[in-house]
Amino acid sequence: MMEDLHDLYQDLILDHNRRPRNKRLVIDADRKAEGYNPLCGDRVTVYVKVDGDRVVDVAFEGSGCAISTASASLMTESVKGKTLTEAKSLFRRFHGLITGEAEESRDGPGLGKLEVFSGVCKFPARVKCATLAWHTVNAALNDERDPVKTE
Amino acid sequence: MTSAVSQSTRKSPPATGRLDVRRIREDFPILDTKVNGRPLVYLDNAATAQKPRIVLEAMDRYYREQNANVHRGVHHLSVVATKAYEDARLRVQRFIGAECPQEIVFVRSATEAINLVAQSYGRPRLRAGDEIVISAMEHHSNIVPWQMLCGQTGAILRVAPIDDAGELMLDGYEALLGPRTRLVSLCYVSNALGTINPVGEAMELAHARGIPVMLDGAQAAPHLRLDVRALDCEFLAITGHKLFGPTGIGVLYGKRSLLEAMEPYQGGGDMIKSVTFEKTEYNDLPHKFEAGTPNIAGTIGLAAAIDYVERIGLEAVAAYEDGLLRRATEVLSAIPQVRIIGTARHKAAVVSFVVDCAHAHDVGTVLDLEGIAVRTGHHCAQPVMDRFGVPATARASMAFYNTMEEIDALADGVRKVVKMFG
Ligand SMILES: Cc1ncc(COP(=O)(O)O)c(C=O)c1O
């Protein structure tokens, strides 16, 4: 039982929950999107700065559970420095990992640190927590104006 | 267990001995379930309660031996089914002390009961500028139907305040009752906070001004005796699944004179006396409000659940659950990182809480892995969460089949949460 618990709440996740990286307002963001999980009330705002087709800064604000906070934090670390195309591909592969439909990830490069979320697919009730920040950054990258809902 | 907790539990009185909880648990097959290899600890009764065997059997028997449509055949089974359906109505009538079966309308849920009153009572009567009063601790189902009604009529929704303990502020409530107030709708027991409202006083204040009152009894029915004649409410909503009955069945009680004067809620079969393309004559109460084939099995299951609860006795239930509530309050308060949301003097066996270092969802997942089912989130009461400045809470809600050991397991689980996230 405790194994399952630590499969989900791995140390890296607990660490990013306690000390989220890039959790800040970016006043001069080029793109911004809001995500909302109506089921649990989690909210996240993601800010993105792009230079040409490269993401030069990503940050987030919001409150949520450990999974959603750590996921947002790790998302910012992984997306920063990527091209727009690379970032979107990362989103798709991360989504595959979390929902247990990970075929795509076999072709592409590994997910690195993001693999700590692989335990989430065993907890269907928590999948949306892990993907909220990713759906939101994807919307920001696509410059969508409507708030993202994980429904 | 920490020493602080075992000390405080020794001080608490022993559980009232009048319920044989071990025997009662045998009546609920689902309580034997294992979750993640652990015995299920079901503390989500305010969301929906588990069903005793006699409810399951009554519904099964209906489908196996009695199934037919009601009020529409001369054949044997139709007569049997109609009798079972109407007997269920009598059962509900006696359970809540209504004057006559015409005052008992079967609906889908408490939600539908409230919508029915909003649309059939409120919509034709309310004018722009009229007011409806609810409280700040309502379930969404006692907010949204009134907002919709306000949108349709131009009426205004007024919200009576609650204090930091989660109690209705009667002064603030009274101040809202004015010449334009057309209806008050209040929960008897709050699902998110457990507060038992002073509905007697609230109703007196309304009645003194000639304002009718609807009570949302969804959370009250499993814990308190509801006597509509003593309460003197105009309308009462109950939902079957929280009362150990099936889902998909609820009850609207309404005073007969009011129901008589109301237009039907939906049109269809069963609610008519005669139909021509020129004119339709509506059926008598309560059928006027029961368009279409009803949830016959649901009413039979609900009647069986009421029989079961009556046999145990709501007074014994209340006493026993009060012991569970006190124990849960005590063991959870003994954990420094825990804050209980909703500390009213009069409470049903519901403890909503937040843990400093962990979001409610993480609390819920850790407890789930221990086999403990609690609800996490906003409990369909987002304004309550906003009032207390929390995004969500974890909520343990007890029933008479829960045990002191289960409450202690909950506290152990919460200590694990603290250890992990603290
Ligand atoms: C206080 C209260 N009112 C109304 C309802 C609605 O009940 P139902 O969903 O069965 O219609 C609930 C259910 O959670 C409740 O707790």
Side-chain angles (χ1 to χ4, degrees):
Chain A
M1 192 288 307
M2 281 316 265
E3 267 164 53
D4 279 348
L5 193 53
H6 290 288
D7 280 353
L8 181 65
Y9 295 112
Q10 298 199 27
D11 287 342
L12 189 66
I13 291 182
L14 293 175
D15 176 56
H16 276 259
N17 176 47
R18 275 194 205 101
R19 294 185 301 119
R21 323 294 199 264
N22 301 309
K23 187 173 176 187
R24 56 187 154 82
L25 169 72
V26 181
I27 292 172
D28 56 344
D30 302 303
R31 298 175 190 186
K32 174 180 144 181
E34 278 169 28
Y36 177 52
N37 182 344
L39 218 60
C40 56
D42 283 2
R43 279 177 195 284
V44 67
T45 306
V46 171
Y47 306 97
V48 178
K49 283 174 87 167
V50 284
D51 183 7
D53 78 335
R54 198 164 288 278
V55 178
V56 291
D57 193 15
V58 202
F60 78 102
E61 285 188 303
S63 73
C65 62
I67 303 296
S68 81
T69 302
S71 172
S73 171
L74 278 154
M75 177 278 291
T76 60
E77 286 196 333
S78 344
V79 168
K80 202 163 167 172
K82 299 276 190 302
T83 64
L84 295 179
T85 318
E86 285 166 348
K88 285 181 202 171
S89 141
L90 199 56
F91 163 67
R92 280 194 301 275
R93 284 181 292 128
F94 180 77
H95 200 265
L97 173 79
I98 301 299
T99 53
E101 299 152 8
E103 284 128 55
E104 275 182 272
S105 67
R106 269 184 236 136
D107 322 322
L111 279 164
K113 270 190 190 178
L114 296 177
E115 310 239 359
V116 294
F117 289 101
S118 61
V120 174
C121 67
K122 280 194 276 173
F123 295 82
R126 305 302 300 275
V127 164
K128 285 173 182 170
C129 310
T131 53
L132 178 62
W134 283 91
H135 280 292
T136 311
V137 76
N138 194 48
L141 295 174
N142 290 330
D143 229 354
E144 288 166 15
R145 303 285 167 188
D146 292 334
V148 178
K149 286 206 180 116
T150 56
E151 287 297 281
Chain B
M1 220 186 243
T2 68
S3 59
V5 170
S6 44
Q7 261 175 17
S8 57
T9 46
R10 236 178 286 131
K11 270 187 290 170
S12 68
T16 358
R18 286 195 291 155
L19 291 193
D20 186 347
V21 175
R22 192 186 302 264
R23 279 271 306 284
I24 286 174
R25 290 181 68 86
E26 286 170 7
D27 296 334
F28 291 81
I30 207 170
L31 295 180
D32 281 338
T33 305
K34 294 263 188 299
V35 173
N36 294 310
R38 303 280 188 116
L40 167 68
V41 174
Y42 188 74
L43 296 174
D44 196 15
N45 294 286
T48 199
Q50 300 301 347
K51 324 302 175 199
R53 196 172 274 116
I54 66 162
V55 168
L56 308 176
E57 286 170 358
M59 295 174 72
D60 191 55
R61 189 176 334 110
Y62 165 72
Y63 279 126
R64 282 175 192 278
E65 299 169 11
Q66 306 168 331
N67 178 57
N69 213 326
V70 291
H71 302 136
R72 30 191 109 171
V74 293
H75 62 79
H76 171 72
L77 284 181
S78 178
V79 173
V80 170
T82 303
K83 176 156 185 353
Y85 181 68
E86 291 304 328
D87 280 352
R89 195 188 312 276
L90 296 174
R91 217 44 220 85
V92 173
Q93 179 210 336
R94 260 178 283 143
F95 181 61
I96 62 170
E99 217 152 294
C100 56
Q102 286 77 7
E103 296 184 322
I104 305 299
V105 179
F106 283 125
V107 290
R108 184 166 58 78
S109 57
T111 301
E112 190 172 48
I114 297 169
N115 278 280
L116 193 164
V117 173
Q119 293 303 311
S120 290
Y121 178 82
R123 193 165 178 181
R125 285 171 182 73
L126 267 63
R127 301 281 168 268
D130 283 348
E131 295 173 359
I132 303 159
V133 172
I134 61 171
S135 86
M137 68 175 97
E138 301 306 325
H139 187 277
H140 294 166
S141 63
N142 198 25
I143 302 174
V144 183
W146 307 118
Q147 288 175 328
M148 291 165 67
L149 176 61
C150 289
Q152 290 156 347
T153 60
I156 300 159
L157 191 62
R158 299 260 184 238
V159 183
I162 58 177
D163 65 16
D164 289 343
E167 291 188 7
L168 180 66
M169 297 168 78
L170 276 170
D171 302 354
Y173 161 78
E174 185 175 9
L176 294 181
L177 303 177
R180 301 296 306 261
T181 312
R182 295 287 171 257
L183 186 76
V184 167
S185 189
L186 290 178
C187 62
Y188 195 156
V189 172
S190 146
N191 68 311
L193 301 167
T195 309
I196 301 176
N197 276 319
V199 291
E201 284 168 86
M203 266 187 303
E204 253 173 52
L205 292 169
H207 286 168
R209 295 161 174 83
I211 304 165
V213 178
M214 166 151 215
L215 288 184
D216 170 3
Q219 294 292 346
H223 305 289
L224 306 171
R225 177 158 301 286
L226 295 173
D227 180 340
V228 290
R229 262 179 292 177
L231 283 166
D232 198 30
C233 54
E234 274 64 36
F235 299 105
L236 171 75
I238 296 178
T239 200
H241 67 97
K242 295 185 203 280
L243 188 56
F244 313 97
T247 54
I249 188 71
V251 173
L252 170 67
Y253 159 83
K255 281 188 180 166
R256 185 172 187 161
S257 56
L258 291 174
L259 292 179
E260 296 277 14
M262 283 157 60
E263 289 288 295
Y265 175 51
Q266 291 173 334
D270 249 11
M271 53 78 69
I272 43 79
K273 266 188 186 151
S274 72
V275 177
T276 64
F277 287 116
E278 288 69 42
K279 184 173 182 323
T280 288
E281 197 186 338
Y282 301 136
N283 205 338
D284 296 326
L285 281 181
H287 311 291
K288 180 172 83 173
F289 293 108
E290 295 178 356
T293 301
N295 182 357
I296 306 163
T299 62
I300 290 169
L302 175 60
I306 289 174
D307 283 342
Y308 186 82
V309 171
E310 295 266 51
R311 208 163 343 124
I312 293 180
L314 274 166
E315 287 72 21
V317 164
Y320 177 73
E321 287 182 349
D322 200 48
L324 292 174
L325 173 66
R326 267 184 287 166
R327 172 75 142 247
T329 307
E330 207 164 56
V331 294
L332 289 173
S333 315
I335 303 170
Q337 293 83 353
V338 168
R339 180 159 62 98
I340 292 178
I341 306 288
T343 49
R345 283 160 296 174
H346 298 291
K347 273 183 75 173
V350 170
V351 181
S352 238
F353 61 96
V354 292
V355 181
D356 268 1
C357 48
H359 187 278
H361 274 181
D362 299 312
V363 177
T365 294
V366 174
L367 292 177
D368 178 50
L369 287 166
E370 302 279 333
I372 303 168
V374 297
R375 170 107 187 246
T376 57
H378 53 58
H379 317 292
C380 297
Q382 280 180 359
V384 175
M385 301 295 112
D386 294 343
R387 167 67 178 77
F388 286 91
V390 293
T393 72
R395 178 190 70 187
S397 52
M398 281 72 84
F400 49 73
Y401 44 62
N402 289 123
T403 64
M404 294 295 176
E405 290 73 29
E406 290 182 314
I407 304 297
D408 293 343
L410 169 69
D412 287 342
V414 173
R415 275 188 286 273
K416 275 198 179 130
V417 172
V418 170
K419 201 165 147 208
M420 177 153 230
F421 295 96

